[in-house]
Amino acid sequence: FNLNPLCVMQTFEVYKLIFGHIDCTDQKSSTNKSIRKPQRSWLLITHNPFIINMINRYQKQIIFYGLGPEGQDRLNASSVLIAGVGALGSTLAHMLVRAGVGCVRLVDRDQVDLSNLHRQILYDEQDAAQKAFKAEAAGRKLQVANSRVQIQTRVLDISGDNVDELMADVDLVLDALDNFDTRLILNDAA
């Protein structure tokens, strides 16, 4: 098959999904680059509710050029450590969980404060009133967003003594810290 951004045809063996006919013909003359939106039809050969749920949930990503079903499988099988769950970390965690990353490990020692709410998207006034730990509050909200993702929370300081354990068995480490010394510890361990 000739792959291009508007016409992706692949066999999805893992989910037994067969992509049907996709029409990517020019709507206008060959000099005009306007291309009609592809028409997709899927023939699903499974009765497994888990697989059907996965396909329904991630179908927009699966048809994205460059990702495809194999990429979605890789996302689902991957694990990420997010160090710091403040403004940047909570946004990263939110997007990764919704994208279907298989396991997200959140590490932060801070508690939610009212001054965080204007920029830290996973927290609310109730979290601030309860002085909830950011990692735990984020974990609860993310689990509701995507129950298929494994969320691991750690409320602690990252140090030279625990950094190797925190980074064990993860495919990617994302630094969303606001502490330069801790960033150096994380960087040295990576």
Side-chain angles (χ1 to χ4, degrees):
F1 295 109
N2 181 15
L3 298 179
N4 70 50
L6 295 175
C7 184
V8 178
M9 296 184 208
Q10 299 177 4
T11 304
F12 193 13
E13 291 295 328
V14 175
Y15 295 139
K16 303 293 186 219
L17 176 69
I18 299 173
F19 285 83
H21 175 71
I22 301 177
D23 182 6
C24 291
T25 58
D26 283 340
Q27 189 174 17
K28 298 182 181 178
S29 70
S30 60
T31 57
N32 189 332
K33 298 299 180 191
S34 176
I35 297 178
R36 185 170 57 220
K37 185 177 178 180
Q39 300 298 312
R40 295 179 308 277
S41 61
W42 294 358
L43 174 61
L44 185 62
I45 307 182
T46 184
H47 297 289
N48 184 326
F50 172 75
I51 293 171
I52 293 170
N53 182 328
M54 292 290 286
I55 292 167
N56 288 335
R57 181 177 200 118
Y58 302 116
Q59 64 181 322
K60 300 294 186 188
Q61 287 180 186
I62 290 171
I63 63 170
F64 185 72
Y65 177 73
L67 184 67
E70 294 83 9
Q72 189 63 47
D73 279 346
R74 284 193 305 272
L75 278 175
N76 190 31
S78 65
S79 59
V80 177
L81 164 67
I82 300 176
V85 197
L88 179 58
S90 63
T91 303
L92 290 169
H94 181 86
M95 297 307 292
L96 290 172
V97 165
R98 289 189 180 274
V101 169
C103 177
V104 175
R105 184 175 299 158
L106 307 171
V107 181
D108 199 310
R109 65 177 171 84
D110 289 338
Q111 294 172 295
V112 179
D113 186 78
L114 193 61
S115 66
N116 302 145
L117 300 184
H118 74 282
R119 69 189 185 285
Q120 297 182 13
I121 64 172
L122 289 178
Y123 312 117
D124 55 39
E125 291 176 353
Q126 184 177 4
D127 296 325
Q130 294 174 350
K131 293 289 190 189
F133 287 102
K134 288 181 180 180
E136 292 173 351
R140 285 191 301 273
K141 306 269 174 62
L142 294 168
Q143 199 67 73
V144 170
N146 192 342
S147 61
R148 300 266 185 211
V149 174
Q150 180 185 5
I151 308 291
Q152 301 174 352
T153 61
R154 306 286 193 277
V155 177
L156 49 80
D157 285 314
I158 296 174
S159 68
D161 295 332
N162 63 16
V163 70
D164 290 331
E165 177 189 337
L166 292 172
M167 293 174 62
D169 302 322
V170 297
D171 301 305
L172 178 66
V173 177
L174 296 175
D175 176 357
L177 296 164
D178 58 4
N179 179 313
F180 194 71
D181 292 335
T182 309
R183 283 182 166 178
L184 291 175
I185 292 170
L186 199 65
N187 189 53
D188 288 345

